[in-house]
Amino acid sequence: MPGLGQVIRTFGTLSVRRGESDRDAVRRMREVVRNGEGLGVFVEGTRQRSGVPGQVQPGAAMVALQEDVPVVCGAIHGSQDWRLGNFAPVSIAWGEPMRFDGLPRGGKGYREASEQIEAELNRLWAWLRDLHEAGRPRIATPPTQSDAAPVTLPS
């Protein structure tokens, strides 16, 4: 969409090359959090048109471990049903801050932190899915990680 890139960059967005390691993007992400600013990352690297969360890429975990900052997961449910003229209700659930103390800074630590992020994202998404199936009550609070039951994703 012509001009959209310029508009969203005015809000401080950073572009990331898909499907390859983008060291420049990770460097800029680290600068943002090092400066004490919040950073929003779509950890899957792309939209999931099916609505089911995809595999988490290591960028967010890498930044969190290298800069010793927490990660707060946010799951989105409902936008997969959007069509022109049919903007179905969308819900977002925010998790609790996650820290990765004790994990090494390197491939093994990034993979383990990414797996933890993916598990939390799936847990929040499954809760939202169930919430939508129950008629989407206006006031609902996600269970804490310690209260969580195992997540079952659709096949």
Side-chain angles (χ1 to χ4, degrees), residues 84-108:
L84 190 58
N86 177 27
F87 296 107
V90 174
S91 299
I92 301 173
W94 299 101
E96 301 167 47
M98 302 171 65
R99 296 200 76 91
F100 306 105
D101 300 329
L103 292 183
R105 292 180 184 179
K108 183 178 179 185

Side-chain angles (χ1 to χ4, degrees), residues 18 44 46-54 78-83 125:
R18 292 187 198 187
E44 298 153 292
T46 189
R47 291 177 299 279
Q48 302 299 320
R49 297 197 187 276
S50 68
V52 177
S79 63
Q80 72 276 6
D81 298 326
W82 280 13
R83 303 288 180 269
W125 179 86

Side-chain angles (χ1 to χ4, degrees), residues 42-154:
F42 291 97
V43 295
E44 298 153 292
T46 189
R47 291 177 299 279
Q48 302 299 320
R49 297 197 187 276
S50 68
V52 177
Q55 182 179 7
V56 168
Q57 302 301 308
M62 186 180 300
V63 171
L65 281 166
Q66 290 177 353
E67 298 300 326
D68 191 28
V69 295
V71 170
V72 176
C73 289
I76 302 170
H77 186 278
S79 63
Q80 72 276 6
D81 298 326
W82 280 13
R83 303 288 180 269
L84 190 58
N86 177 27
F87 296 107
V90 174
S91 299
I92 301 173
W94 299 101
E96 301 167 47
M98 302 171 65
R99 296 200 76 91
F100 306 105
D101 300 329
L103 292 183
R105 292 180 184 179
K108 183 178 179 185
Y110 303 152
R111 278 189 300 279
E112 190 171 331
S114 294
E115 288 170 4
Q116 291 177 30
I117 291 168
E118 188 170 315
E120 175 65 354
L121 183 63
N122 283 321
R123 183 186 76 79
L124 291 168
W125 179 86
W127 179 79
L128 283 175
R129 177 200 61 210
D130 294 347
L131 190 74
H132 275 242
E133 289 174 2
R136 201 169 163 259
R138 295 189 73 60
I139 299 175
T141 304
T144 63
Q145 291 175 1
S146 59
D147 296 339
V151 173
T152 304
L153 295 176

Side-chain angles (χ1 to χ4, degrees), residues 15 17 22 32 56 103 132 150:
S15 60
R17 291 189 305 268
D22 190 344
V32 167
V56 168
L103 292 183
H132 275 242

